[in-house]
Amino acid sequence: MSIMLENTAEIRKRVSARHRLLDLGRAWLRLHRRSLLLLLPVLAVAGTIHAWGMATYPRWVDDPGTYLSQAWSVQYLLALSPYSYFYDHTPAGWLQIALWSVLTNGFNRYDSAIDFGNECMLIAKLVSCALIFALGRRVGLSRVGSAAAALLLALSPLALAYTRWTFLDNLVTPWLLLAFVLAYSPRRTIGAAMGAAAAFAMAALTKETALVLLPAFVYAMAQNLDRRNRPQVIVMAAFAGILLMALYPLFAIYKGELLPGQGHNSLLETAYWQLAGRQPSGSALDPDSPARSLVDGWFGLDPYLLVGGLVALPAALVVRRLRPVALALVIQWLLMVRGGYVPYMHVITLLPWSALLLAGAAEQIGGTLRLALKRARGARQVAAGACAVALAVVWAPALWPMMTVREQPPLRSATAWVADNVPRDKVLVVHDAIWTDLVHYKGFSPRPIIAYKLDTDLAVVSALERIDYLVVPNWYYDSPDAARYPTLLEARKHAVVEIAFGAGDNGVRVYRVSDFWKP
């Protein structure tokens, strides 16, 4: 009898807990129903625009293949890379991709790893749009203004192109936005502060460049501190963030790879190379610099969001809670003029802050108009909404081709030809975008060699005995960095073209190497 009573009491507890959760869920929905009625259509638009045509636009570039091969390696080889991991980036980004693949059988649901990467970026985009909406509300924007900020990120042709690529920066964005959302928690609890610090640490572990935004994040945290628990919040938030980020150097210490040394990679050595050893991009203010060329390329896709964010800075500074967002944007632009190395995908870190500031500035202008007209109710919301609608109309002609391109990427066509015509035991040197496809889907063994590893990975250099085929874009052979690939260039001298796909720098020629000579 006592056992039956205990079981009955346990069942009642579970039922009661379930009811409490349901009641909390209903209460949350009632509280946020108006926001959800605005946000859900925005997410539907964002998801449709992003997903429609993402398999064929934009072209395949280097980094997505690298990160997907590393995610594949985590899942199937239980290693951070199919080659020697040399701490080029913190690994949490491709660990997240690998985790999603493990949970959803991701790599096996497509016939190309790039398609799986596209899915991951779509999820990251939707989460980013939702968090921009939430952050907009917490820094004082109206619901319409917050929805406008999310739409600006969703509809910008520049954002569409770069957020479709499987870049680590696209995985950093949701973590950074979550950190700021939690930093502005209205409850100002220790738990929210610890969550904010942990989210910022995850952003840094996804890509270490997120650390440059630490001053803006600390500023946001400082704005929202409560005097009653300020010491506890500071200590616990710092503890949570530092403890999580410390896992990375601890991993290097465990492997004996923290300090430089003979015969092994080093975290500190690679960090020095990242900070000071890479070829500088110059200043964006110099019309002849690579940095200026990058900016011109971004403006060629869409100048409005980036310029709008800069123009909005003075208006944003009027709003106290928008100042940390303004600082985040200023920091990212300062990196463009300092003269150091600027990565190709740096623009991704400019986009969310520009969207928030542009929507915020539109609301400020609307608020000023309301004061002038005295009776213009809802002027702030109208101004923010009008800004988003006007830009959507301007962007529409550029968005349509991005969504309707049907031409298959040359690298995808080359992969299909190689799978049908090349024996599986041949040694291939390939672009990283197709490495996972040839290994996972096409069964090539020995595994192909990623082109840039030919002369940079000691294990590859020492084991290389022959090369049978080259499958890389044309630009590899003619770029200013071609000298970095002496083995590849030498192999091409002993090769003949079997077939070509596409034209120009982004076209691909499949070379059969007849008499490889190792320099």
Side-chain angles (χ1 to χ4, degrees):
M1 179 64 71
S2 61
I3 294 175
M4 291 179 62
L5 290 174
E6 288 177 5
N7 289 340
T8 302
E10 183 65 26
I11 291 172
R12 286 176 177 171
K13 286 181 181 179
R14 292 179 182 176
V15 171
S16 177
R18 192 175 301 131
H19 284 318
R20 283 198 297 272
L21 287 174
L22 289 172
D23 288 341
L24 287 172
R26 293 190 191 100
W28 187 88
L29 288 173
R30 283 196 299 270
L31 181 63
H32 297 285
R33 64 184 183 277
R34 293 174 64 187
S35 293
L36 289 174
L37 287 173
L38 264 178
L39 177 59
L40 291 178
V42 168
L43 294 182
V45 170
T48 301
I49 296 293
H50 186 103
W52 189 358
M54 67 182 181
T56 49
Y57 183 91
R59 63 186 176 87
W60 290 12
V61 293
D62 289 24
D63 290 50
T66 297
Y67 304 137
L68 288 164
S69 69
Q70 290 170 323
W72 180 90
S73 180
V74 169
Q75 182 174 355
Y76 293 98
L77 303 180
L78 302 181
L80 289 177
S81 171
Y83 298 95
S84 173
Y85 173 57
F86 69 103
Y87 301 92
D88 51 334
H89 288 300
T90 46
W94 62 87
L95 286 174
Q96 293 168 60
I97 295 173
L99 177 61
W100 182 244
S101 177
V102 170
L103 293 175
T104 66
N105 196 29
F107 281 111
N108 292 320
R109 287 188 285 107
Y110 295 95
D111 59 5
S112 171
I114 295 294
D115 290 336
F116 173 60
N118 290 342
E119 175 188 302
C120 295
M121 296 306 101
L122 171 60
I123 295 170
K125 179 71 164 290
L126 291 175
V127 174
S128 296
C129 288
L131 288 170
I132 278 186
F133 181 92
L135 182 55
R137 295 293 292 143
R138 292 199 168 179
V139 297
L141 271 63
S142 68
R143 290 185 179 88
V144 173
S146 300
L151 276 174
L152 291 174
L153 181 66
L155 298 178
S156 165
L158 177 62
L160 182 63
Y162 277 81
T163 57
R164 279 179 170 178
W165 273 313
T166 305
F167 288 147
L168 296 181
D169 308 70
N170 287 321
L171 297 173
V172 168
T173 301
W175 288 112
L176 278 177
L177 292 172
L178 177 61
F180 276 76
V181 167
L182 292 174
Y184 280 115
S185 170
R187 296 187 178 183
R188 303 181 180 183
T189 62
I190 293 175
M194 291 179 66
F200 188 86
M202 276 301 301
L205 290 174
T206 300
K207 191 172 184 181
E208 63 283 355
T209 51
L211 286 171
V212 300
L213 291 181
L214 183 60
F217 172 68
V218 171
Y219 188 10
M221 290 280 288
Q223 275 195 351
N224 206 43
L225 286 176
D226 190 320
R227 292 182 180 179
R228 293 171 296 180
N229 64 356
R230 181 164 50 195
Q232 295 89 339
V233 164
I234 293 173
V235 170
M236 295 305 293
F239 176 78
I242 293 172
L243 182 64
L244 189 53
M245 282 192 286
L247 294 176
Y248 187 49
L250 285 175
F251 170 77
I253 292 171
Y254 171 76
K255 293 191 67 182
E257 295 179 344
L258 178 66
L259 301 175
Q262 189 69 27
H264 68 79
N265 297 317
S266 164
L267 170 59
L268 293 182
E269 187 175 23
T270 305
Y272 175 80
W273 169 73
Q274 291 275 29
L275 293 172
R278 306 190 73 167
Q279 183 69 29
S281 302
S283 169
L285 301 177
D286 178 2
D288 299 320
S289 69
R292 179 61 171 269
S293 179
L294 267 182
V295 174
D296 290 342
W298 299 341
F299 283 4
L301 284 171
D302 166 33
Y304 301 105
L305 185 55
L306 294 181
V307 173
L310 285 172
V311 172
L313 278 171
L317 293 175
V318 176
V319 184
R320 176 178 175 272
R321 290 171 77 86
L322 272 177
R323 290 170 192 164
V325 177
L327 178 59
L329 183 62
V330 168
I331 290 172
Q332 298 292 4
W333 273 113
L334 286 176
L335 293 177
M336 294 296 303
V337 300
R338 69 188 175 95
Y341 172 74
V342 179
Y344 174 74
M345 65 293 295
H346 178 74
V347 68
I348 295 171
T349 60
L350 297 168
L351 296 171
W353 317 113
S354 297
L356 275 167
L357 292 181
L358 188 53
E363 286 210 348
Q364 283 298 108
I365 294 171
T368 303
L369 181 63
R370 179 182 179 183
L371 290 175
L373 299 179
K374 296 183 180 180
R375 295 183 180 181
R377 297 185 61 183
R380 291 176 61 217
Q381 293 88 333
V382 170
C387 175
V389 170
L391 284 177
V393 172
V394 171
W395 287 332
L399 286 173
W400 184 247
M402 295 181 177
M403 298 166 61
T404 55
V405 169
R406 289 294 176 263
E407 183 180 350
Q408 183 164 271
L411 278 166
R412 188 191 289 268
S413 302
T415 303
W417 186 90
V418 168
D420 292 338
N421 296 277
V422 176
R424 295 298 188 268
D425 61 346
K426 297 298 183 182
V427 177
L428 280 65
V429 175
V430 303
H431 187 266
D432 51 1
I434 65 175
W435 185 92
T436 307
D437 291 0
L438 292 172
V439 173
H440 185 74
Y441 304 103
K442 308 303 182 184
F444 275 83
S445 181
R447 291 195 291 265
I449 302 168
I450 294 177
Y452 67 84
K453 293 293 184 179
L454 271 177
D455 297 288
T456 59
D457 191 285
L458 293 178
V460 173
V461 172
S462 61
L464 184 66
E465 295 181 354
R466 75 178 202 271
I467 295 174
D468 297 312
Y469 286 86
L470 306 176
V471 192
V472 297
N474 298 335
W475 67 261
Y476 255 84
Y477 307 106
D478 303 318
S479 73
D481 296 328
R484 295 165 49 194
Y485 317 114
T487 305
L488 179 72
L489 296 178
E490 185 63 35
R492 191 179 68 152
K493 294 178 183 178
H494 302 263
V496 295
V497 177
E498 289 284 289
I499 192 169
F501 300 95
D505 289 345
N506 295 317
V508 179
R509 297 188 188 101
V510 179
Y511 287 95
R512 178 172 53 83
V513 182
S514 56
D515 181 24
F516 170 66
W517 177 80
K518 183 176 178 181

